[in-house]
């Protein structure tokens, strides 16, 4: 038999992000067909063009718009005739430091992208997988979905919601041969965390987070991508509803 995921079809929302890109690279390198969906279609296309192995395509998609999410799922299905796996990685941090005093518009936007967007994607993906006889979905939460995140109330609330969404959805679709799991990355090197670090005075957050992490370093995109690919694979066939910290021991303290 060809090595997994040879010829199988996948969708990654937030595909232009660092973790999305790393996941697509791993899947494509093993022969998968990957559709990258991102609000920034140009950035997603640039990622797809840089991945030489496998078959990778890209398209624009705002995960807060149901019709655009459905179009992305349909496009992924068209690549191979079915949707075998999906990684819902689209997310934004939003204003990091206003806390509960943040503007209502900011609260609404962070919840819309991180939580409602994950639900819209999961809903459309599950329908496609049900028609194809099963599949695997991985949602991206965060360590902020497992513990409190001071002055990041909307992001933390949304990621706690993604954890709950994962567990509830896993129970609902298990009988359809669909597994739903969740990864919770720690602070991970990339554009999103760099933007937050730039707004913080004093020593960089990368250094401070590394010092607070038992393994002594911050995360790299491939750390989470490797966990995602495993959760999408048949090797994790007995896991559903799992919430897995990819955090260097941060939440074990």
């Amino acid at each position: 038999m060809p090595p997994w995921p040879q010829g199988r079809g996948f969708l990654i929302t937030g595909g232009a992000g660092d973790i999305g890109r790393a996941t697509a690279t791993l899947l494509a390198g093993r022969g998968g067909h990957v559709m990258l969906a991102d609000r920034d279609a140009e950035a997603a296309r640039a990622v797809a063009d840089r991945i030489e192995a496998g078959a990778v395509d890209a398209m624009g998609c705002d995960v807060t718009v149901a019709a655009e999410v459905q179009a992305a799922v349909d496009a992924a299905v068209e690549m191979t005739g079915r949707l075998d796996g999906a990684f819902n990685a689209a997310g934004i941090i939003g204003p990091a430091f206003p806390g509960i005093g943040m503007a209502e518009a900011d609260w609404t936007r962070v919840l819309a992208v991180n939580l409602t967007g994950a639900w819209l994607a999961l809903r459309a993906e599950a329908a496609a997988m049900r028609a194809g006889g099963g599949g695997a979905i991985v949602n991206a939460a965060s360590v902020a979905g497992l513990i409190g995140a001071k002055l990041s109330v909307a992001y933390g609330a949304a990621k706690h919601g993604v954890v709950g969404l994962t567990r509830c959805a896993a129970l609902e679709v298990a009988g359809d041969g669909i597994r739903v799991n969740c990864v919770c990355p720690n602070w991970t090197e990339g554009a999103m965390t760099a933007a937050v670090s730039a707004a913080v005075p004093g020593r960089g957050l990368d250094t401070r987070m590394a010092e607070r992490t038992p393994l002594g370093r911050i995360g790299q995109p491939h750390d989470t991508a490797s966990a995602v690919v495993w959760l999408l694979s048949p090797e994790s066939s007995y896991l559903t509803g799992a919430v897995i910290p990819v955090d260097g021991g941060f939440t074990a303290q």
Side-chain angles (χ1 to χ4, degrees):
M1 293 180 63
W4 184 91
Q6 189 75 31
R8 300 196 182 198
F10 302 89
L11 170 66
I12 300 176
T13 69
D18 296 286
I19 294 174
R21 180 179 69 248
T23 304
T25 301
L26 288 178
L27 290 171
R30 300 178 188 183
H33 296 249
V34 186
M35 175 60 68
L36 300 176
D38 198 281
R39 183 177 57 177
D40 189 338
E42 185 175 333
R45 171 52 58 192
V47 170
D49 289 344
R50 289 198 300 269
I51 300 175
E52 298 179 358
V56 184
D57 204 351
M59 63 184 295
C61 174
D62 182 341
V63 294
T64 69
V65 180
E68 294 191 20
V69 172
Q70 186 61 58
V73 170
D74 292 344
V77 170
E78 287 177 7
M79 295 184 77
T80 62
R82 54 174 287 134
L83 183 64
D84 294 289
F87 177 34
N88 298 322
I92 59 172
I93 292 179
F97 306 109
I100 59 174
M102 70 190 306
E104 183 177 351
D106 291 331
W107 166 272
T108 299
R109 178 63 180 165
V110 172
L111 269 289
V113 174
N114 291 292
L115 180 53
T116 303
W119 166 68
L120 288 173
L122 193 154
R123 181 179 68 171
E125 293 154 0
M129 290 177 183
R130 190 177 292 115
I137 299 170
V138 179
N139 294 321
S142 166
V143 294
L146 301 174
I147 59 177
K150 185 178 180 182
L151 299 181
S152 191
V153 63
Y155 184 77
K159 293 304 186 180
H160 273 76
V162 171
V163 169
L165 171 67
T166 298
R167 289 172 169 154
C168 294
L171 298 177
E172 183 174 337
V173 301
D176 298 311
I178 302 169
R179 298 184 299 110
V180 185
N181 293 294
C182 180
V183 289
C184 296
N186 194 6
W187 188 266
T188 298
E189 183 176 299
M192 183 181 291
T193 52
V196 176
S197 292
V200 179
R203 287 193 310 141
L205 284 178
D206 285 2
T207 300
R208 281 187 268 174
M209 289 302 297
E211 291 172 349
R212 294 177 59 193
T213 300
L215 288 185
R217 66 173 178 87
I218 63 170
Q220 297 296 316
H222 68 80
D223 294 322
T224 301
S226 296
V228 171
V229 170
W230 180 70
L231 288 170
L232 292 174
S233 80
E235 294 179 359
S236 62
S237 63
Y238 200 53
L239 262 72
T240 196
V243 178
I244 300 179
V246 186
D247 67 352
F250 187 83
T251 58
Q253 301 177 97

